[in-house]
Amino acid sequence: MITKLQAEQARLRYQFRIGWLVFTLLILAAVAFVSLEHIRLKIRGEFQQHANHLVFKLDELVEDVLEIGHKLPYYDTRSGHCPPQLTEKLNNMVFNNLYVSGAMVSDESNHTLCSSAGLNLPPPAPDQQSPVLLGPIHPAHGNNDVFLLQQRLGQYRVGMYLIRPVLEDFIRKHSVGMDFVGLYNRNNNSVIVQTGNLAAFDNHILRADNRDSNNDFDVTLPLQNLDNISLLASSHPVDRLQQMGRYLALVMLPFLLLSWLFYRYCIQLIQHRFSLEFALMRALKKEQFYPVYQAIYDEEQQRFCGAEVLMRWHTDDDETLYPDQFVSEAEASGLIVPMTLQLIEKALHECHALLTHNAAFYLSFNLSPAHFRDAQFFTGFHELCTRYAIPPRQLMLEMTERELFNKDDADVAQRMHDLRKRGYLLTLDDFGTGHSNLQYLQQFQFNYLKIDKLFVHSIGTGAITETLNQSIITMAHSLHLHVIAEGVETQIQRDYLHKARVRYIQGWFYSEAVTIQRLTHLMEQSGSVT
Ligand code: G
Ligand code: G
Ligand code: MN
């Protein structure tokens, strides 16, 4: 039975594990797919926002610088000379602006009229567009390239020089999570300023020159304040992957945790479903526990005086199971209490006639400490006795010495005292196999003592246990306990016990455990019933 349960449990667990694994992987893949698409869109949105912000900042810079030119007072420069006040103004402008390193005014035909101090550069070829960013220009003296931000104002052009590191720093400062940023001159198709890795940028989109390129993480955005310049930007792939990884972990972890909890729960459910405990619960509901009876012989009266009720389990598979296969589990789970009540009810029902017609005949039931701890048990027990109108002196309760009560347990002592007072017979079962002592025997009010079959079987063998028989019997007599010897199989054993004045004998010598029909027959045959 147990091996069958275990095999079934193992099979179902295996099947569930496979199913769960497949299911979890499928869900995981679906979740990963959906969440990756979601995070990709989110990251793209953020990247485009950052790129727009950078364009905005660059436009702001251009506007600020151009604004300075607007503040120049009007001078008539047709003379071809530079008014002295203008040079001074230009110097002031350069001095007061962080980004501007030089300024110049040129005429329609691109002749330099005025320039700030230290500036000695030929202006590049003029552009028809305005304003416009020209360059880079490599100065003859000096290390850094410069760019000319030029706008037309009336008959002349005003130009501001920005040096490359300043422009690059500005871009770097305002670019977040970008692998590459560049400024692209659409007029001559060249990247004039760049930070980061140009190879990261998909050049395809320059040719298409539109915002909605195939590559979500490369953009080109025209500056509003400069007619010839677009911003090129591509997002940082490592940043992107890290962000995706974090998001994925964040989504997956709770799911994995939930799935794991579900798994544990189901495995426990399966374990329970195929546990002996569950099988016992079902057997209880189906009333599969039934009694058999092993008669006890009274040597003095020469007739059967009672019978021990032993539990059997008729399983769904038509198997008969013995208590050693299920009683310890029943005790551990507490199911022993309703099982025993079911057994008692069936036994009282079957033996009703036998008990009522033979006032000296008793039935003996095996109890364990679990029964004493359960308040319901004795309520049920007394109710059954009342319902079947069986007097207490016809009912014996056996408690095995192997599972003794704590001798300081006042409640149990009180309960036993109460049972004795009502007239029930109390037996200490399997005596000699546990560790009860005299004190224990005095504390609990047994009136019968059952010598374990281990000792009975040693009779005639010369083993040490044989000599213990006499000591047990002598002690029992001195405590005024009736003695039952169990497991008596042979004439030699019976004669030995008879000589030792053991009055009650139980065992295959007289009868094995039998059905009620065979018990009744045995009683009638032996003249034990009147
Ligand atoms: O003859 P059998 O194999 O049934 O007995 C095996 C053991 O099971 C015995 O030690 C006996 O005390 C125990 N046993 C039999 N029936 C019951 C019962 O109804 N309740 C309890 N607790 N033990 C029982
Ligand atoms: O709870 P208790 O130990 O009284 O249960 C009696 C047990 O002893 C049962 O398992 C029963 O089958 C077994 N039994 C009863 N009579 C004999 C017998 O004469 N010989 C042997 N070997 N076992 C017996
Ligand atoms: Mn017993």
Side-chain angles (χ1 to χ4, degrees):
M1 175 74 183
I2 292 157
T3 43
K4 208 181 105 195
L5 281 172
Q6 280 169 345
E8 254 176 81
Q9 188 192 103
R11 188 177 53 79
L12 205 77
R13 258 163 56 171
Y14 176 75
Q15 284 173 352
F16 173 74
R17 207 168 281 154
I18 299 285
W20 175 79
L21 211 65
V22 170
F23 177 77
T24 303
L25 286 178
L26 280 178
I27 294 280
L28 224 53
V31 169
F33 181 78
V34 171
S35 53
L36 277 180
E37 188 53 27
H38 173 79
I39 186 66
R40 207 180 65 84
L41 289 176
K42 189 166 162 260
I43 293 175
R44 187 177 71 166
E46 279 171 8
F47 163 67
Q48 284 174 348
Q49 229 175 336
H50 288 145
N52 283 327
H53 181 73
L54 183 55
V55 166
F56 174 77
K57 281 289 171 192
L58 282 166
D59 272 328
E60 227 176 34
L61 173 71
V62 169
E63 196 177 316
D64 284 352
V65 173
L66 292 177
E67 182 108 354
I68 306 167
H70 290 292
K71 285 184 190 144
L72 279 180
Y74 177 76
Y75 296 100
D76 188 358
T77 51
R78 271 171 299 184
S79 62
H81 299 294
C82 180
Q85 304 96 314
L86 186 54
T87 311
E88 200 186 316
K89 287 270 178 208
L90 292 177
N91 282 336
N92 272 343
M93 266 165 47
V94 172
F95 187 74
N96 285 325
N97 194 292
L98 213 64
Y99 296 104
V100 178
S101 56
M104 62 167 295
V105 173
S106 55
D107 65 11
E108 289 282 4
S109 48
N110 209 32
H111 288 123
T112 306
L113 296 175
C114 287
S115 66
S116 61
L119 190 67
N120 187 18
L121 279 174
D127 198 289
Q128 288 315 302
Q129 289 172 311
S130 177
V132 68
L133 187 68
L134 302 170
I137 305 156
H138 312 286
H141 315 290
N143 309 321
N144 291 312
D145 290 349
V146 292
F147 296 93
L148 180 64
L149 183 59
Q150 199 177 48
Q151 67 182 319
R152 192 194 293 261
L153 287 175
Q155 311 114 13
Y156 52 88
R157 296 161 194 265
V158 177
M160 309 288 170
Y161 283 95
L162 310 172
I163 58 172
R164 186 192 284 276
V166 168
L167 203 54
E168 284 174 353
D169 278 353
F170 182 87
I171 289 174
R172 235 176 256 124
K173 193 174 133 199
H174 291 103
S175 53
V176 183
M178 292 183 190
D179 198 19
F180 163 76
V181 180
L183 293 183
Y184 180 69
N185 186 342
R186 290 195 300 273
N187 289 353
N188 58 12
N189 296 327
S190 66
V191 176
I192 58 170
V193 181
Q194 70 183 70
T195 69
N197 173 19
L198 176 59
F201 191 77
D202 178 7
N203 280 302
H204 265 85
I205 71 170
L206 288 179
R207 263 167 265 143
D209 195 19
N210 65 43
R211 284 156 159 263
D212 302 318
S213 74
N214 290 335
N215 188 335
D216 288 339
F217 295 98
D218 286 341
V219 287
T220 147
L221 300 168
L223 263 64
Q224 298 301 310
N225 290 339
L226 281 177
D227 287 350
N228 65 330
I229 301 292
S230 288
L231 175 84
L232 311 182
S234 61
S235 95
H236 207 293
V238 177
D239 277 7
R240 222 152 64 206
L241 281 176
Q242 279 178 352
Q243 216 174 332
M244 281 175 149
R246 273 197 299 273
Y247 182 78
L248 211 58
L250 214 70
V251 175
M252 295 289 200
L253 274 179
F255 171 77
L256 275 175
L257 192 75
L258 271 179
S259 173
W260 176 247
L261 287 178
F262 173 74
Y263 173 80
R264 294 301 318 155
Y265 175 76
C266 289
I267 286 288
Q268 268 171 17
L269 220 64
I270 292 172
Q271 272 168 352
H272 177 67
R273 175 64 187 76
F274 289 95
S275 65
L276 185 55
E277 184 184 342
F278 189 83
L280 287 172
M281 267 160 63
R282 241 184 14 187
L284 189 67
K285 250 187 226 138
K286 293 184 172 178
E287 304 202 359
Q288 289 178 338
F289 301 105
Y290 68 94
V292 290
Y293 307 89
Q294 188 175 32
I296 298 164
Y297 194 76
D298 181 345
E299 292 284 348
E300 207 174 288
Q301 302 267 320
Q302 304 249 320
R303 60 185 177 90
F304 290 105
C305 58
E308 179 177 2
V309 179
L310 295 166
M311 192 185 282
R312 296 291 180 263
W313 175 6
H314 184 105
T315 67
D316 286 332
D317 309 327
D318 267 346
E319 251 184 300
T320 298
L321 296 189
Y322 290 77
D324 54 334
Q325 291 170 281
F326 59 85
V327 159
S328 54
E329 176 65 30
E331 282 175 352
S333 60
L335 284 168
I336 191 72
V337 171
M339 280 161 62
T340 305
L341 285 172
Q342 191 172 98
L343 187 78
I344 295 173
E345 168 148 31
K346 283 188 184 174
L348 292 186
H349 181 77
E350 287 181 354
C351 298
H352 192 248
L354 201 59
L355 288 166
T356 44
H357 295 145
N358 300 279
F361 187 80
Y362 63 84
L363 282 185
S364 182
F365 296 97
N366 292 286
L367 299 189
S368 62
H371 295 100
F372 283 81
R373 282 188 224 110
D374 192 308
Q376 301 268 297
F377 175 72
F378 284 100
T379 315
F381 178 64
H382 293 311
E383 201 183 288
L384 287 171
C385 298
T386 313
R387 190 180 336 148
Y388 287 93
I390 309 297
R393 71 188 142 72
Q394 286 187 278
L395 293 166
M396 179 183 273
L397 300 174
E398 298 184 18
M399 276 138 279
T400 176
E401 199 204 22
R402 266 167 297 179
E403 288 176 72
L404 283 180
F405 312 107
N406 183 346
K407 71 175 167 50
D408 302 323
D409 197 333
D411 284 352
V412 176
Q414 180 55 43
R415 167 86 63 199
M416 291 181 63
H417 186 75
D418 177 55
L419 288 166
R420 270 301 296 279
K421 229 171 64 187
R422 286 168 183 250
Y424 292 102
L425 313 173
L426 299 183
T427 300
L428 182 59
D429 199 3
D430 307 312
F431 188 78
T433 58
H435 357 68
S436 66
N437 49 31
L438 271 178
Q439 201 194 350
Y440 186 90
L441 285 174
Q442 283 162 343
Q443 162 98 359
F444 296 106
Q445 312 236 320
F446 295 106
N447 46 353
Y448 283 77
L449 186 152
K450 204 182 247 191
I451 306 174
D452 192 75
K453 48 185 174 288
L454 183 88
F455 296 98
V456 174
H457 293 167
S458 71
I459 292 168
T461 63
I464 305 169
T465 36
E466 183 184 3
T467 59
L468 287 175
N469 278 295
Q470 195 51 60
S471 338
I472 293 170
I473 296 160
T474 310
M475 183 198 67
H477 284 155
S478 70
L479 287 168
H480 306 290
L481 294 168
H482 302 288
V483 182
I484 304 172
E486 75 171 3
V488 180
E489 294 177 0
T490 65
Q491 185 73 48
I492 296 166
Q493 289 165 353
R494 195 213 74 109
D495 291 346
Y496 176 99
L497 293 162
H498 185 69
K499 245 212 230 123
R501 294 195 300 116
V502 172
R503 180 170 169 184
Y504 303 102
I505 302 288
Q506 183 186 6
W508 298 342
F509 181 74
Y510 284 111
S511 170
E512 52 184 7
V514 295
T515 60
I516 181 64
Q517 290 79 16
R518 287 189 52 200
L519 177 72
T520 313
H521 184 69
L522 181 73
M523 299 283 288
E524 284 165 358
Q525 253 195 346
S526 62
S528 302
V529 286
T530 45

